[in-house]
Amino acid sequence: MDLSGKVAVVTGAGRGLGRAYAEALAAAGAAVVVNDVDAEAAAQVVETINGGGGRAVAVVAPVGSAEVAERLVATAVKEFGRLDVMITNAGILRDRVLWKMSDEDFDAVIDVHLRGTFTCARAAAVRMREQGSGGRLVLVASPAGQRGNFGQTNYAAAKAGIAAMARTWALELARANVTVNAVVPVAATEMTKTIPAFAPVIEEAERTGRPFPDWLRKDEGLGTVEDAAALVVFLASDASAGVTGQAIGIGGDRLALWAHPKEKAVAFADGGWTADDIAAAWESGVGADPETYGIPAPKAPEGA
């Protein structure tokens, strides 16, 4: 997978998944603009990439505003001459149940995840259309946005919105040969360490250096951040030119294509439906097989 000559921006690239994306893109030959709010973390990533023979520069700033988005794109153009790939990975968590979530908790997460994705993608799309040679927008979604998750009103809403924006922008940017996809990664990060079923396994792997067990890598689709980076490299490459408007999951040994929302069951009533008609027909009609919701709780096999 050769990305030589391509230039990428990765937001939230100071650690975790973002760092893995930046380093994998650089290893494949791309020049990378490393964005993070942590100056020391961003500098370490840049040093690692440049020390390995790659090319990278840092931009220390919080995503969300149009000003920062335009600065990221301008840096790519100034330092490396163009922009080919925008990875919108930056994010924060402010988890609370609905009745305890403050306006500030909600707004902070929406601003970084949803608005940050919007402003960075918009700035990238403007540049890519001007260049006239296509491009790649890779938006980072989450299982929480696909299914909902307890205590994550703000995060789930933002991630669901990101998947919807990917479908919309795939339509709008098709003529410019800019593909837009959402990735749905699952990896061992500081966040997944808080899940009781995962924490002891992740801690044991970190302590011993042994790989994660098969049940975790296959059944739960959870592996290292490096496992998730391969999908981003593929979507940044020429090999993915025909892939757009998709939500693609990756984690551990698992690669998956998520379904788009669609009508599951349909019924008709001549002249329209009354509330009483709906109530009478629901359980034997369109509501006979209701959808599940929420991320299923992980279950380690007995003895694992």
Side-chain angles (χ1 to χ4, degrees), residues 158-264:
K159 292 302 191 182
I162 286 168
M165 289 194 296
R167 295 189 288 268
T168 300
W169 297 340
L171 293 169
E172 294 177 349
L173 291 168
R175 289 185 63 183
N177 293 317
V178 175
T179 66
V180 190
N181 293 284
V183 298
V184 187
V186 181
T189 63
E190 292 304 313
M191 185 173 72
T192 50
K193 286 181 188 178
T194 66
I195 301 172
F198 291 162
V201 183
I202 295 172
E203 289 168 5
E204 178 70 7
E206 290 179 344
R207 185 180 67 82
T208 64
R210 288 198 293 265
F212 294 147
D214 274 359
W215 71 266
L216 194 64
R217 292 185 60 85
K218 291 182 170 62
D219 297 342
E220 299 298 334
L222 186 146
T224 67
V225 292
E226 289 77 17
D227 290 323
L231 176 58
V232 168
V233 174
F234 164 69
L235 291 174
S237 75
D238 294 340
S240 68
V243 182
T244 193
Q246 305 303 302
I248 308 168
I250 192 166
D253 297 333
R254 189 172 187 161
L255 178 68
L257 180 66
W258 282 86
H260 294 326
K262 60 183 179 181
E263 291 180 338
K264 180 178 179 179

Side-chain angles (χ1 to χ4, degrees), residues 55-120:
R55 296 183 298 158
V57 296
V59 173
V60 179
V63 300
S65 70
E67 179 184 5
V68 168
E70 289 163 7
R71 180 180 165 196
L72 292 173
V73 173
T75 300
V77 175
K78 177 183 177 182
E79 296 292 333
F80 304 120
R82 58 184 295 106
L83 176 67
D84 301 284
V85 185
M86 172 64 76
I87 315 290
T88 59
N89 168 77
I92 61 172
L93 292 177
R94 297 290 187 274
D95 292 357
R96 299 285 189 280
V97 291
L98 172 61
W99 54 95
K100 292 184 178 180
M101 184 170 289
S102 68
D103 290 357
E104 292 76 16
D105 292 333
F106 185 84
D107 291 345
V109 170
I110 294 299
D111 189 55
V112 175
H113 286 277
L114 195 61
R115 181 177 291 278
T117 295
F118 161 66
T119 55
C120 289

